[in-house]
Amino acid sequence: MVDASFSLWRSAFLTDVSRDRKIVFEHMKEFVRKVLEQNAITFADDHRLRALAVGYYNANARYRIERLYENHPELLDIPAVAKVSELSGRDLAKEDQAVLWDFYFNALEQTFDWFESSWIKVMRPGNAKKQDPNVVGDSKAEQHPSQ
């Protein structure tokens, strides 16, 4: 989930872009040239080359979400995750990247909620009913021995 979060964080500021294939191709050539010459890409490069970068980061977020539901098929019961699964295998290069970003963000947010509730049920079953969502762990158990 962290890797999908990272990709969505990077692409959040890049979604207002034309996905014209000629522009993407030109950005790809410049991106590869810079990586080969300097072995570094910064956010300034991502922003300047956003016609390429937004698709990369959004596709990576989708890929990571797909891996999550492949390993946890019950995630497909979540409508936002099911919506992402419907995109699998489609060519999304010309799709509105802001709309795709929203799909992926909603799926990831709901996946976080699912994992949190599953963790409470499975890892801390005695606390599942009485767990205060604003408190993490048992305050006595987490105190330093010197306290």
Side-chain angles (χ1 to χ4, degrees), residues 122-134:
V122 174
M123 301 303 290
R124 299 188 64 148
N127 291 337
K129 292 181 183 171
K130 61 184 177 187
Q131 180 75 18
D132 181 346
N134 298 314

Side-chain angles (χ1 to χ4, degrees), residues 3-4 6-8 54-66 104:
D3 38 16
F6 174 81
S7 289
L8 290 175
V54 69
Y56 169 78
Y57 288 120
N58 277 350
N60 188 56
R62 184 182 83 199
Y63 172 80
R64 301 305 174 174
I65 293 166
E66 289 171 346
Y104 305 147

